Amino acid sequence: MDSNEARRTQINDFKPEREYFYTEVLNGLRKAQKELPSKYFYDERGSYLYECICTLDEYYLPRMEIAIMETHIKEIIELLGPNACLIEYGCGNCTKTRILLDHLPDPAAFVPIDIAGEQLLRVSQELASSYPGLEISPVCADYTSNFELPAPKKPSDRTIVYFPGSTIGNFDPVPARNFLEHIASVCGPGGALLIGVDLKKDTNVLHHAYNDREGVTAAFNLNLLERINRELDGDFQLDNFQHYAFYNPRESRIEMHLVSLRDQIVHLGDLSIPFNKDESIWTESSYKYNLDDFKQLAADAGFQVEKVWTDERQWFSVQYLVKTTAYNL
Ligand code: AVJ
């Protein structure tokens, strides 16, 4: 790596402190329905396991999203336009971003944001060598927290926020609206949001997407306990917990849990956390939308859905949203 590349791959570091991780874990495990924030799945191993999930037959989401993007890339690019500053929330390994960067005419800058620091550094370095003229300003952060966005050197004509993967599905309805509202303010006047949204479908398809045959999703879910053991001095016995994911049709969401297989006491440092047999830790929600519901959510957050691309079966959608002018000027 030459010094120019090194400079371009400096991470703006707002990675959550261990203290904060500990506090959130403790608060979650003290609730009547125990829960853990899904953002903590993504340590090095978790990010790797998520990449494995993305190659599974049952996990249709990334495959469909990529197919939709590739089919409509010309139209997408025309809407995004030249000299845009692209900001991505939860960029992961940037597979989908590359489709955009391969086609975008003269982007001003790219700001990838992710909580997984090591992966972010690696991916940013790879992008720096793939796109030599592009300013890349990576940010390691929990993007639901307050952090400062870097100001790219080159002035841009507009800000495009990219939020693929249906990660919006991890937010409960009110936080989802609040987060989209925040994105609208980041977009600024004339800005836009390109977002991937997973759609309601046959519940058996959904069930298998989160209960794969090879048990990769189970390993991904259980890795959270391993991470807590390692980083927060925990003693979760992984054999005593079981991955359990199901579609909750009333709430239109997949719920992922870890179910305690016996009465047991888990320690976190010198704290004791009791579990009853069959009690669960709720580790993730993944909401599924229909197009009208999402349109309403977007409108409530100050966005107008300008374009929806989807597949024949309407399993997944990529949507282009612009700020409604009466709002958030
Ligand atoms: C990365 C949030 C889009 O909710 O489908 C995959 C994470 N969890 N399998 C999703 C996940 C279980 C994924 N997102």
mmCIF file of all heavy atoms in Angstrom, residues 42 50 53 59 61 165-167 170 210 217 220 256 284 286, ligand 1:
data_model
loop_
_atom_site.group_PDB
_atom_site.id
_atom_site.type_symbol
_atom_site.label_atom_id
_atom_site.label_comp_id
_atom_site.label_asym_id
_atom_site.label_seq_id
_atom_site.Cartn_x
_atom_site.Cartn_y
_atom_site.Cartn_z
ATOM 1 N N TYR A 42 -21.982 -8.470 14.749
ATOM 2 C CA TYR A 42 -20.956 -8.275 13.724
ATOM 3 C C TYR A 42 -19.561 -8.008 14.282
ATOM 4 O O TYR A 42 -18.982 -6.963 14.079
ATOM 5 C CB TYR A 42 -21.398 -7.182 12.746
ATOM 6 C CG TYR A 42 -22.747 -7.512 12.138
ATOM 7 C CD1 TYR A 42 -23.933 -7.009 12.681
ATOM 8 C CD2 TYR A 42 -22.830 -8.392 11.062
ATOM 9 C CE1 TYR A 42 -25.168 -7.362 12.145
ATOM 10 C CE2 TYR A 42 -24.063 -8.739 10.523
ATOM 11 C CZ TYR A 42 -25.228 -8.218 11.072
ATOM 12 O OH TYR A 42 -26.447 -8.568 10.548
ATOM 13 N N TYR A 50 -22.079 -13.958 8.567
ATOM 14 C CA TYR A 50 -23.127 -13.314 7.765
ATOM 15 C C TYR A 50 -22.807 -13.446 6.271
ATOM 16 O O TYR A 50 -23.707 -13.700 5.464
ATOM 17 C CB TYR A 50 -23.324 -11.846 8.158
ATOM 18 C CG TYR A 50 -24.402 -11.229 7.313
ATOM 19 C CD1 TYR A 50 -25.714 -11.692 7.381
ATOM 20 C CD2 TYR A 50 -24.101 -10.242 6.373
ATOM 21 C CE1 TYR A 50 -26.710 -11.186 6.567
ATOM 22 C CE2 TYR A 50 -25.093 -9.726 5.558
ATOM 23 C CZ TYR A 50 -26.391 -10.197 5.653
ATOM 24 O OH TYR A 50 -27.367 -9.709 4.829
ATOM 25 N N ILE A 53 -23.963 -16.765 5.318
ATOM 26 C CA ILE A 53 -25.427 -16.771 5.180
ATOM 27 C C ILE A 53 -25.820 -16.276 3.791
ATOM 28 O O ILE A 53 -26.706 -16.827 3.140
ATOM 29 C CB ILE A 53 -26.081 -15.889 6.280
ATOM 30 C CG1 ILE A 53 -25.964 -16.570 7.650
ATOM 31 C CG2 ILE A 53 -27.536 -15.579 5.960
ATOM 32 C CD1 ILE A 53 -26.428 -15.707 8.826
ATOM 33 N N TYR A 59 -31.303 -18.276 1.799
ATOM 34 C CA TYR A 59 -31.264 -16.844 2.121
ATOM 35 C C TYR A 59 -31.274 -16.047 0.812
ATOM 36 O O TYR A 59 -30.241 -15.627 0.294
ATOM 37 C CB TYR A 59 -30.045 -16.523 2.988
ATOM 38 C CG TYR A 59 -30.122 -15.166 3.645
ATOM 39 C CD1 TYR A 59 -31.052 -14.899 4.648
ATOM 40 C CD2 TYR A 59 -29.281 -14.132 3.251
ATOM 41 C CE1 TYR A 59 -31.143 -13.657 5.239
ATOM 42 C CE2 TYR A 59 -29.364 -12.878 3.845
ATOM 43 C CZ TYR A 59 -30.297 -12.649 4.837
ATOM 44 O OH TYR A 59 -30.383 -11.402 5.418
ATOM 45 N N LEU A 61 -32.268 -13.095 0.021
ATOM 46 C CA LEU A 61 -32.231 -11.618 -0.005
ATOM 47 C C LEU A 61 -31.107 -11.019 -0.863
ATOM 48 O O LEU A 61 -31.404 -10.263 -1.806
ATOM 49 C CB LEU A 61 -32.161 -11.034 1.415
ATOM 50 C CG LEU A 61 -33.411 -11.126 2.284
ATOM 51 C CD1 LEU A 61 -33.546 -12.491 2.921
ATOM 52 C CD2 LEU A 61 -33.423 -10.052 3.348
ATOM 53 N N GLY A 165 -29.746 -4.220 1.676
ATOM 54 C CA GLY A 165 -29.770 -5.429 2.488
ATOM 55 C C GLY A 165 -31.039 -5.634 3.295
ATOM 56 O O GLY A 165 -31.164 -6.607 4.004
ATOM 57 N N SER A 166 -31.954 -4.673 3.230
ATOM 58 C CA SER A 166 -33.135 -4.685 4.094
ATOM 59 C C SER A 166 -32.742 -4.623 5.568
ATOM 60 O O SER A 166 -33.423 -5.185 6.427
ATOM 61 C CB SER A 166 -34.020 -5.918 3.844
ATOM 62 O OG SER A 166 -35.330 -5.652 4.304
ATOM 63 N N THR A 167 -31.648 -3.943 5.849
ATOM 64 C CA THR A 167 -31.255 -3.746 7.235
ATOM 65 C C THR A 167 -32.280 -2.890 7.968
ATOM 66 O O THR A 167 -32.421 -2.991 9.194
ATOM 67 C CB THR A 167 -29.850 -3.110 7.305
ATOM 68 O OG1 THR A 167 -28.970 -3.895 6.495
ATOM 69 C CG2 THR A 167 -29.316 -3.093 8.722
ATOM 70 N N ASN A 170 -34.360 -4.502 10.615
ATOM 71 C CA ASN A 170 -33.942 -4.737 12.005
ATOM 72 C C ASN A 170 -34.563 -3.739 12.991
ATOM 73 O O ASN A 170 -34.498 -3.934 14.199
ATOM 74 C CB ASN A 170 -32.422 -4.657 12.147
ATOM 75 C CG ASN A 170 -31.702 -5.901 11.656
ATOM 76 O OD1 ASN A 170 -30.499 -5.894 11.470
ATOM 77 N ND2 ASN A 170 -32.424 -6.991 11.429
ATOM 78 N N TYR A 210 -34.301 -18.142 7.516
ATOM 79 C CA TYR A 210 -33.696 -17.907 8.835
ATOM 80 C C TYR A 210 -33.518 -19.208 9.630
ATOM 81 O O TYR A 210 -33.167 -19.183 10.809
ATOM 82 C CB TYR A 210 -34.540 -16.889 9.616
ATOM 83 C CG TYR A 210 -34.497 -15.522 8.954
ATOM 84 C CD1 TYR A 210 -35.345 -15.214 7.879
ATOM 85 C CD2 TYR A 210 -33.569 -14.562 9.345
ATOM 86 C CE1 TYR A 210 -35.277 -13.984 7.236
ATOM 87 C CE2 TYR A 210 -33.499 -13.329 8.715
ATOM 88 C CZ TYR A 210 -34.357 -13.046 7.654
ATOM 89 O OH TYR A 210 -34.280 -11.833 7.019
ATOM 90 N N THR A 217 -27.104 -19.942 10.140
ATOM 91 C CA THR A 217 -27.816 -18.881 10.866
ATOM 92 C C THR A 217 -27.788 -19.165 12.369
ATOM 93 O O THR A 217 -27.634 -18.243 13.179
ATOM 94 C CB THR A 217 -29.265 -18.754 10.359
ATOM 95 O OG1 THR A 217 -29.243 -18.654 8.928
ATOM 96 C CG2 THR A 217 -29.947 -17.532 10.932
ATOM 97 N N PHE A 220 -24.444 -18.146 13.579
ATOM 98 C CA PHE A 220 -24.409 -16.672 13.585
ATOM 99 C C PHE A 220 -25.079 -16.145 14.858
ATOM 100 O O PHE A 220 -24.551 -15.257 15.540
ATOM 101 C CB PHE A 220 -25.127 -16.196 12.322
ATOM 102 C CG PHE A 220 -25.342 -14.712 12.199
ATOM 103 C CD1 PHE A 220 -24.277 -13.851 11.947
ATOM 104 C CD2 PHE A 220 -26.625 -14.172 12.273
ATOM 105 C CE1 PHE A 220 -24.488 -12.489 11.796
ATOM 106 C CE2 PHE A 220 -26.837 -12.811 12.118
ATOM 107 C CZ PHE A 220 -25.766 -11.965 11.881
ATOM 108 N N MET A 256 -35.670 -13.726 15.884
ATOM 109 C CA MET A 256 -34.634 -14.689 16.229
ATOM 110 C C MET A 256 -34.429 -14.665 17.727
ATOM 111 O O MET A 256 -34.320 -13.586 18.328
ATOM 112 C CB MET A 256 -33.298 -14.355 15.551
ATOM 113 C CG MET A 256 -33.254 -14.760 14.108
ATOM 114 S SD MET A 256 -31.622 -15.283 13.502
ATOM 115 C CE MET A 256 -30.496 -14.116 14.208
ATOM 116 N N GLU A 284 -32.904 -10.694 17.512
ATOM 117 C CA GLU A 284 -33.081 -9.915 16.277
ATOM 118 C C GLU A 284 -34.524 -9.943 15.814
ATOM 119 O O GLU A 284 -35.210 -10.942 15.966
ATOM 120 C CB GLU A 284 -32.186 -10.466 15.156
ATOM 121 C CG GLU A 284 -32.217 -9.607 13.884
ATOM 122 C CD GLU A 284 -31.309 -10.143 12.773
ATOM 123 O OE1 GLU A 284 -31.486 -11.312 12.391
ATOM 124 O OE2 GLU A 284 -30.452 -9.401 12.303
ATOM 125 N N SER A 286 -36.573 -9.020 12.107
ATOM 126 C CA SER A 286 -36.349 -8.687 10.707
ATOM 127 C C SER A 286 -37.719 -8.484 10.063
ATOM 128 O O SER A 286 -38.373 -9.437 9.669
ATOM 129 C CB SER A 286 -35.572 -9.830 10.056
ATOM 130 O OG SER A 286 -34.934 -9.407 8.888
HETATM 131 C C1 AVJ B 1 -28.301 -8.081 7.634
HETATM 132 C C2 AVJ B 1 -30.178 -7.396 8.893
HETATM 133 C C3 AVJ B 1 -30.404 -7.836 6.570
HETATM 134 O O1 AVJ B 1 -32.248 -9.459 8.934
HETATM 135 O O2 AVJ B 1 -32.023 -10.694 7.184
HETATM 136 C C4 AVJ B 1 -29.549 -12.798 8.424
HETATM 137 C C5 AVJ B 1 -29.385 -10.344 9.213
HETATM 138 N N1 AVJ B 1 -30.123 -12.398 10.441
HETATM 139 N N2 AVJ B 1 -29.938 -13.945 8.991
HETATM 140 C C6 AVJ B 1 -31.547 -9.994 8.065
HETATM 141 C C7 AVJ B 1 -29.670 -11.811 9.355
HETATM 142 C C8 AVJ B 1 -30.283 -13.698 10.212
HETATM 143 C C9 AVJ B 1 -30.046 -9.729 8.039
HETATM 144 N N3 AVJ B 1 -29.738 -8.281 7.802
#
